[in-house]
Amino acid sequence: MSENCSDRDPALPIRRQVVELGNSLIREIAHEGMSNPDIIPLWFGEPDLPTPDFIIAASDSALRSGKTFYTPNLGIPELRETLSSYMSGLYEHDISLERIVVTAAAMNGMMMTAEALIDPGDNMVAATPVWPNFLRCVEIMDGQISMVPLIANPSGWQLDLDHLFDACDARTRAIYINSPNNPTGWVMDRKQQQQVLDFCRQRGLWVVSDEVYARIIYDQSLAPSFLEIAEPDDLVIVINSFSKSWAMTGWRLGWITCPRGLTPVIEKLNEYNVASPSAPAQYAGVTAVRDGENFVHTMVERYRIARDTIHQRLGSMARVSMPKPHAAFYAFFTVDGMDDSLNFAKWTMRKTKVGLAPGLAFGAGGENYLRICYAKSPEVLGAALDRLAPVLDA
Ligand SMILES: Cc1ncc(COP(=O)(O)O)c(C=O)c1O
């Protein structure tokens, strides 16, 4: 249905799409638990450690040397150059600066992607469960979502590409893939990426690939990226972030890589979204990428230990079934006897003082699951598992 004046409540005449937009169910749990310091909060997806000092120092020195002004809409050239050489090296594929736009975190990149791609009534096909915010961006633009659930099995999650392709119709504009995936830890392999790219090339569809967890992977050195197989002018947009790899969630800094022709479009949109990401954050970003490799590796090793603990201890609890997560820092698990993940997460929080995210928040295929974020210290995780055991291991 397209928007018209009669859709609006005369008392508060705002767009129907915005009125109907769901609230974040993850935030719903967090709102209930945040004011209680006794609760161990494992609902949000963020590293528990603060941004390292060498990154903070770069921002401090930028501020003190007068970097307090607007920057170009596309981001400062130093950061775009740094990201261009970082990604070209990582993926052994030339990724030129003209294809890179610095954004106010992945979230701003997602909103601009939806603004650029989605007309009212357009459809986007998404592999789910998935962190829901890009789906909401598409809905804000009055687009519709078709969700194609991953399939769980003990060794991991799988996507049936026939299901994905069958879900595309004449109104489909884009396929959205988030790999490494939040919440399941699923990683799409190179062969499937190539098949998705080939399909999208044939149909003239966009691939929107959310790769914010590209560096946080345990059983391979690097997650396959669409950037390794896409030609510079393919309709491929890769969304990235400083939040997870460099522990910078609060800085709101990310970037997108897109075909050259889209760069001026995103540049224009950024003027009307945030004008530019924060200047000191961008200087910090240059240092994070140039000098942060050891930090990234250290964090991944820390998460790997946490992943193994969660898989062994939580995965062996009597009521729990959990495919092994291969990447990101979440475990997504079912609980025998649970039929409403939101109510169960609320009840578990009251009973055990551990805050988990309800699977319902992540779309089709997630309803019967709970998500735990394990980017925490061994002490915090151990305490959370001790508290959960009487409920989940009974
Ligand atoms: C899959 C995914 N994409 C994007 C984001 C948002 O990242 P940012 O903090 O850069 O907005 C998140 C945050 O949890 C995420 O899980």
Side-chain angles (χ1 to χ4, degrees):
M1 200 209 325
S2 69
E3 178 188 347
N4 63 48
C5 293
S6 63
D7 289 332
R8 296 178 184 223
D9 176 346
L12 195 60
I14 54 178
R15 292 177 62 229
R16 176 183 57 78
Q17 289 77 8
V18 178
V19 174
E20 289 177 359
L21 204 62
N23 289 322
S24 162
L25 296 179
I26 308 174
R27 289 234 172 230
E28 188 172 324
I29 295 277
H31 275 297
E32 196 176 313
M34 253 169 171
S35 54
N36 184 345
D38 294 338
I39 289 177
I40 301 179
L42 305 179
W43 43 54
F44 289 146
E46 60 183 349
D48 60 334
L49 296 180
T51 308
D53 280 348
F54 71 94
I55 298 177
I56 294 175
S59 153
D60 198 39
S61 108
L63 283 168
R64 289 182 193 289
S65 64
K67 308 292 191 205
T68 60
F69 298 96
Y70 292 126
T71 78
N73 298 131
L74 293 174
I76 56 171
E78 294 93 310
L79 183 52
R80 295 175 67 217
E81 270 158 31
T82 304
L83 289 168
S84 164
S85 37
Y86 164 71
M87 287 193 294
S88 302
L90 205 57
Y91 296 126
E92 295 175 351
H93 212 79
D94 185 35
I95 296 160
S96 68
L97 168 151
E98 292 79 47
R99 296 174 58 200
I100 297 171
V101 184
V102 182
T103 58
M107 203 52 253
N108 165 232
M110 290 175 163
M111 194 65 236
M112 291 192 291
T113 298
E115 287 167 351
L117 268 44
I118 303 297
D119 268 326
D122 279 351
N123 162 270
M124 183 182 75
V125 173
T128 60
V130 73
W131 189 66
N133 286 26
F134 186 52
L135 313 187
R136 300 292 97 82
C137 295
V138 169
E139 286 168 1
I140 289 171
M141 299 310 297
D142 203 10
Q144 282 147 17
I145 314 291
S146 301
M147 295 189 258
V148 178
L150 297 163
I151 299 155
N153 63 47
S155 63
W157 293 77
Q158 278 170 356
L159 177 63
D160 184 327
L161 285 189
D162 289 335
H163 289 170
L164 191 80
F165 298 155
D166 286 348
C168 296
D169 63 21
R171 310 207 70 166
T172 304
R173 293 290 300 271
I175 291 183
Y176 172 51
I177 302 289
N178 165 225
S179 162
N181 176 260
N182 171 9
T184 61
W186 165 70
V187 181
M188 182 180 249
D189 65 26
R190 166 62 34 74
K191 190 167 162 229
Q192 284 207 326
Q193 285 187 338
Q194 188 64 57
Q195 287 169 293
V196 169
L197 182 60
D198 291 344
F199 178 85
C200 287
R201 279 176 177 156
Q202 275 163 20
R203 298 278 191 106
L205 304 180
W206 287 91
V207 178
V208 180
S209 179
D210 176 343
E211 301 185 5
V212 307
Y213 297 99
R215 301 299 307 277
I216 303 174
I217 180 155
Y218 308 112
D219 308 315
Q220 312 168 52
S221 56
L222 186 64
S225 167
F226 278 93
L227 292 172
E228 291 163 285
I229 52 173
E231 296 301 328
D233 293 322
D234 271 321
L235 302 183
V236 172
I237 301 175
V238 174
I239 293 172
N240 242 305
S241 176
F242 285 79
S243 289
K244 317 290 174 174
S245 305
W246 293 281
M248 293 176 71
T249 50
W251 296 68
R252 313 313 296 134
L253 190 68
W255 74 97
I256 64 174
T257 310
C258 60
R260 260 182 309 248
L262 195 68
T263 304
V265 175
I266 302 289
E267 178 177 20
K268 184 165 62 177
L269 284 172
N270 219 4
E271 172 65 22
Y272 305 117
N273 276 271
V274 294
S276 67
S278 133
Q282 293 186 65
Y283 286 95
V286 171
T287 297
V289 174
R290 281 193 192 150
D291 302 338
E293 275 307 293
N294 283 344
F295 176 75
V296 173
H297 290 296
T298 307
M299 293 304 276
V300 171
E301 284 318 305
R302 188 166 175 267
Y303 301 147
R304 182 198 305 281
I305 294 167
R307 188 274 307 248
D308 291 343
T309 304
I310 285 287
H311 188 234
Q312 279 151 19
R313 274 200 66 193
L314 183 63
S316 61
M317 289 188 189
R319 295 178 66 194
V320 171
S321 304
M322 185 178 96
K324 189 173 188 182
H326 296 294
F329 38 54
Y330 310 98
F332 207 50
F333 59 97
T334 50
V335 179
D336 190 30
M338 174 180 81
D339 56 9
D340 177 336
S341 63
L342 182 60
N343 276 332
F344 191 86
K346 286 184 180 172
W347 176 82
T348 305
M349 183 167 71
R350 286 178 210 130
K351 195 156 173 71
T352 67
K353 304 264 181 296
V354 177
L356 303 171
L360 184 65
F362 302 92
E367 301 85 348
N368 293 323
Y369 286 79
L370 295 171
R371 186 192 75 175
I372 188 166
C373 171
Y374 57 74
K376 309 290 165 201
S377 69
E379 296 72 32
V380 169
L381 273 188
L385 290 166
D386 289 346
R387 290 184 189 187
L388 288 169
V391 166
L392 301 181
D393 204 13

